[in-house]
Amino acid sequence: MKKTFLASILVLGALLTGCGGAKENKVIQVKGSDTILNVTQGISEEFMQKNPKAKIAVTGGGSGVGISALLNKTTDIAMASRAMKSSEYDKAKEIGLSVEEVVLGFDGITLIVNEKNPVKGLDSITLGKIFRGEITNWKEVGGEDAKIVTLSRDSSSGTHEFFKEHVVRGGEKNNLEYGNETLYMPSNEAIKQEVKSNKYAIGYIGMGYMDNSVHALAVDGILPTKENVSNKTYPIAREVYWYVPSNREGSLKELVDFAVSPEGQGIVESEGFIKR
């Protein structure tokens, strides 16, 4: 069903490119975070089944892309895996756009390694050193004598920014950055596939993308389970958002209401995230 739905989204996107945009065609445009792309597609699919006249086009590109599109008034909903910045709220105010933050659910950023990697857990301080390029060999953290291949989301990703703030910079206000040899990947799935094929890679993904093809590391001794994210004991957890106009109406209002309803939240949970 999802493959069919995604194909219809791509067709809609092509039609919109030549037809002038969302408002003219009464198509709800949703753009942004790849982390919550799948769950947003699931919510949209179910909403359209219940509301046959509704049309929704969903595309990724990263949280920054989605928020920029909202501020440029080229999308109706911005999907984001980070909170909007004060500068972005200021820009919205400048253009007369009142933005509402809607918490769609909760996510635990999951550190993953290859299944053949003997390392099963790391503390937050060590992870910061690895992703800053200060620790470069697995033998330094109990693994084999092999170079660590660090994988990050690209800079348009909200997950990239959240991980940098909370792990690379250790939650402090400083200018520390990812290491020079960090490989930047375009999506959660790309990171997972690289870790799956590379015995010495380490990366991070949204918990909704986790499966048995890779191994999830414990962080500070705590695994990224639904229970540990729900009770806030897992140290790298965050809210995921939809940013929407405050004065929404019609199908847009109904879609947002559906997303936070028990049925919509059931889809959030079924996609591997924690409901709000």
Side-chain angles (χ1 to χ4, degrees), residues 5 9 20 46 69 73 95 119 146 157 165 168 172 186:
F5 176 65
I9 287 174
E46 188 64 26
K73 299 185 178 180
I95 63 174
V119 176
S157 162
E165 179 183 346
V168 175
E172 304 289 335

Side-chain angles (χ1 to χ4, degrees), residues 70 75-77 97-100 243-248 252:
L70 184 68
T75 194
D76 299 293
I77 297 174
L97 177 63
S98 177
V99 177
E100 180 180 342
Y243 285 98
V244 297
S246 301
N247 61 344
R248 59 192 177 275
L252 177 58

Side-chain angles (χ1 to χ4, degrees), residues 28 47 51 53-55 249-256:
I28 298 171
F47 182 80
N51 302 272
K53 292 183 180 180
K55 297 178 182 179
E249 57 186 13
S251 294
L252 177 58
K253 181 181 184 303
E254 292 170 4
L255 174 60
V256 175

Side-chain angles (χ1 to χ4, degrees), residues 33-273:
S33 171
D34 291 296
T35 298
I36 54 172
L37 180 64
N38 287 348
V39 67
T40 298
Q41 287 174 344
I43 289 169
S44 300
E45 176 184 12
E46 188 64 26
F47 182 80
M48 286 192 292
Q49 287 181 347
K50 294 179 175 296
N51 302 272
K53 292 183 180 180
K55 297 178 182 179
I56 307 170
V58 183
T59 54
S63 300
V65 170
I67 292 171
S68 292
L70 184 68
L71 298 177
N72 292 330
K73 299 185 178 180
T74 57
T75 194
D76 299 293
I77 297 174
M79 300 178 287
S81 57
R82 65 163 174 85
M84 269 183 64
K85 302 172 183 177
S86 58
S87 60
E88 291 165 336
Y89 277 111
D90 289 342
K91 183 175 180 180
K93 187 176 181 179
E94 286 176 12
I95 63 174
L97 177 63
S98 177
V99 177
E100 180 180 342
E101 178 183 276
V102 176
V103 175
L104 189 66
F106 298 89
D107 178 32
I109 297 179
T110 304
L111 274 296
I112 57 172
V113 294
N114 187 277
E115 285 201 308
K116 295 180 180 178
N117 192 323
V119 176
K120 302 305 179 185
L122 293 166
D123 61 72
S124 298
I125 293 174
T126 300
L127 282 170
K129 291 179 179 179
I130 288 173
F131 279 88
R132 290 194 299 269
E134 297 168 11
I135 293 176
T136 59
N137 194 299
W138 280 109
K139 71 179 181 181
E140 298 178 68
V141 293
E144 297 181 17
D145 184 4
K147 181 179 178 180
I148 299 173
V149 178
T150 53
L151 309 174
S152 168
R153 289 296 310 281
D154 56 46
S155 59
S156 66
S157 162
T159 309
H160 168 104
E161 293 198 28
F162 187 93
F163 192 85
K164 179 167 69 175
E165 179 183 346
H166 291 272
V167 178
V168 175
R169 294 180 175 174
E172 304 289 335
K173 290 188 176 181
N174 55 56
N175 295 319
L176 295 173
E177 292 290 342
Y178 289 91
N180 291 334
E181 295 192 32
T182 302
L183 300 179
Y184 295 99
M185 312 295 281
S187 66
N188 288 273
E189 190 63 31
I191 289 179
K192 185 172 68 176
Q193 291 304 317
E194 181 64 22
V195 169
K196 179 181 176 181
S197 64
N198 189 332
K199 184 178 179 181
Y200 303 114
I202 181 172
Y204 55 84
I205 58 176
M207 65 188 300
Y209 286 82
M210 185 63 194
D211 60 32
N212 293 329
S213 67
V214 291
H215 179 76
L217 293 179
V219 178
D220 297 333
I222 302 170
L223 285 168
T225 64
K226 288 186 176 182
E227 180 181 0
N228 291 339
V229 172
S230 294
N231 63 26
K232 299 182 176 14
T233 57
Y234 183 68
I236 320 176
R238 42 110 186 246
E239 297 172 325
V240 288
Y241 312 96
W242 279 4
Y243 285 98
V244 297
S246 301
N247 61 344
R248 59 192 177 275
E249 57 186 13
S251 294
L252 177 58
K253 181 181 184 303
E254 292 170 4
L255 174 60
V256 175
D257 290 346
F258 177 75
V260 298
S261 71
E263 188 171 359
Q265 287 295 293
I267 297 171
V268 170
E269 197 167 33
S270 71
E271 289 289 342
F273 296 92

